[in-house]
Amino acid sequence: MIIIQLKGGMGNQMFQYALYRQLKKLGREVKIDDVTGFVDDKLRIPVLQRFGIEYDRASKAEVVKLTDSKMDIFSRIRRKLTGRKTFRIDEEEGMFDPRILEVEDAYLVGYWQSDKYFTDEEVERELRDAFEKRPQDIMQDSVSWTILQQIECCESVSLHIRRTDYVDAEHNHIHNICTEKYYKSAIDEVRNTYPSAVFFIFTDDKEWCRAHFRGPNFFVVDLDEDTNTDIAEMTLMSRCKHHIMANSSFSWWATWLNDNPSKIVIAPSKWINNRKMDDIYTSRMKKIAI
């Protein structure tokens, strides 16, 4: 059996689910542990169910068996004497590891942020079916519908700016912050091809964006979709014709879900500070220094 630990935000969980679908396609017995990864995470919860996704859930007993984590006295003594006999595999780098697609027994802990983990065409179709939501299924706010109409009627560009959880003391030594210079360069790059481009800004720091990106062709998206706000935002981002990404898995998936063959996709040249992430970039992305 293979168990994938679900953890992180929505975009990260989508990557973990994508690996789950690929391993299923390869004939493995795969389940998802959607408990352990959130025990010490005060900010996040499992969210795949918001897409209407169902998956095989691992039981606590199955997780314990694969990770050799029984807490009875005999198991604890045995581990001290002979070591832990665990099948746990932790992702060490952000690079694609082909061995992950070959394992038979494993408890997988990581983010698996590369489309190389789900190259099968049928799996790709399954993921699009799972993650592409019809607006009428998720949007109850009239503002969302108005924004969608605007996006579809112009040379729309999603501009994703992530700040609040990247600038705090806990995270700022790990996450790069895409600078204002990066965004200005990316905007100029898009305007070189599409001078009339309209930039729809998706952000967790709306006031900062309103202060730094002004003009008739900049629009800060502000939704009120209750529990579906994140999916509504991703849907709207994916409907834009072009994309300027943040170093965020949320950005990544919004871009991936857009199947416009002529789309421009701009990404920050450095993704994160503490690991190599070369394989997160797809062939459609143009990298610009942050």
Side-chain angles (χ1 to χ4, degrees):
M1 178 184 292
I2 299 170
I3 297 176
I4 299 172
Q5 186 188 92
L6 202 69
K7 65 175 183 174
M10 189 170 83
N12 291 327
Q13 293 178 45
M14 292 167 75
F15 272 114
Q16 291 149 7
Y17 179 74
L19 176 60
Y20 167 86
R21 295 302 322 174
Q22 181 66 51
L23 290 171
K24 283 273 192 183
K25 178 66 176 177
L26 293 172
R28 309 292 199 278
E29 181 183 3
V30 194
K31 295 187 178 183
I32 288 179
D33 171 15
D34 58 7
V35 176
T36 309
F38 301 98
V39 170
D40 297 319
D41 191 335
K42 302 295 190 293
L43 299 176
R44 299 175 180 88
I45 60 172
V47 297
L48 292 178
Q49 66 272 16
R50 295 182 189 173
F51 288 101
I53 289 173
E54 296 182 358
Y55 48 81
D56 295 327
R57 286 180 167 84
S59 68
K60 182 177 180 180
E62 290 168 332
V63 173
V64 167
K65 182 178 180 180
L66 273 182
T67 57
D68 188 16
S69 54
K70 283 186 178 180
M71 294 307 292
D72 63 275
I73 186 64
F74 298 107
S75 297
R76 292 163 70 180
I77 292 172
R78 173 184 56 77
R79 286 196 293 269
K80 285 187 176 181
L81 294 174
T82 64
R84 188 182 294 271
K85 299 177 181 179
T86 180
F87 289 95
R88 174 169 171 152
I89 299 175
D90 287 87
E91 184 181 31
E92 296 180 0
E93 288 285 349
M95 304 293 287
F96 169 66
D97 184 353
R99 295 173 298 175
I100 299 301
L101 298 178
E102 299 171 359
V103 294
E104 297 288 343
D105 295 289
Y107 181 79
L108 300 177
V109 181
Y111 294 117
W112 322 111
Q113 294 173 317
S114 174
D115 61 350
K116 294 179 181 180
Y117 285 112
F118 49 97
T119 56
D120 185 272
E121 291 184 1
E122 184 175 342
V123 172
E124 180 177 329
R125 288 195 297 271
E126 290 172 353
L127 293 173
R128 291 190 181 279
D129 288 343
F131 296 144
E132 288 180 342
K133 308 307 293 181
R134 298 186 307 166
Q136 57 266 39
D137 291 339
I138 57 171
M139 294 182 183
Q140 287 78 45
D141 183 9
S142 61
V143 173
S144 299
W145 283 98
T146 300
I147 295 171
L148 178 61
Q149 292 170 353
Q150 293 170 339
I151 283 172
E152 293 180 339
C153 292
C154 67
E155 203 63 54
S156 52
V157 184
S158 75
L159 197 160
H160 189 207
I161 298 178
R162 184 169 175 178
R163 284 180 49 81
T164 55
D165 64 339
Y166 277 12
V167 299
D168 65 29
E170 181 181 355
H171 295 94
N172 64 9
H173 68 288
I174 296 176
H175 295 287
N176 289 299
I177 301 299
C178 292
T179 63
E180 190 172 352
K181 179 182 178 182
Y182 161 74
Y183 286 111
K184 297 292 187 184
S185 298
I187 289 167
D188 289 343
E189 182 72 25
V190 173
R191 281 176 166 167
N192 285 338
T193 305
Y194 299 102
S196 62
V198 178
F199 299 88
F200 292 82
I201 301 174
F202 296 83
T203 182
D204 55 3
D205 194 344
K206 295 175 176 55
E207 293 308 311
W208 187 91
C209 290
R210 289 190 179 103
H212 287 80
F213 297 91
R214 299 178 178 178
N217 283 8
F218 292 97
F219 182 82
V220 177
V221 175
D222 194 354
L223 304 184
D224 184 17
E225 287 287 353
D226 196 26
T227 57
N228 279 332
T229 297
D230 47 4
I231 296 180
E233 284 197 346
M234 181 170 286
T235 299
L236 289 172
M237 287 175 70
S238 70
R239 296 297 184 96
C240 291
K241 297 178 177 64
H242 313 286
H243 305 278
I244 297 174
M245 300 172 59
N247 52 327
S248 161
S249 56
F250 194 96
S251 278
W252 194 98
W253 281 104
T255 299
W256 186 84
L257 290 170
N258 176 5
D259 58 2
N260 174 17
S262 61
K263 66 184 177 183
I264 294 174
V265 180
I266 297 175
S269 60
K270 188 175 183 181
W271 198 264
I272 201 169
N273 286 325
N274 64 345
R275 57 174 55 190
K276 293 181 66 177
M277 295 293 294
D278 295 1
D279 289 331
I280 199 167
Y281 298 102
T282 69
S283 60
R284 296 301 306 273
M285 296 178 185
K286 178 173 183 175
K287 292 183 278 187
I288 288 181
I290 61 170

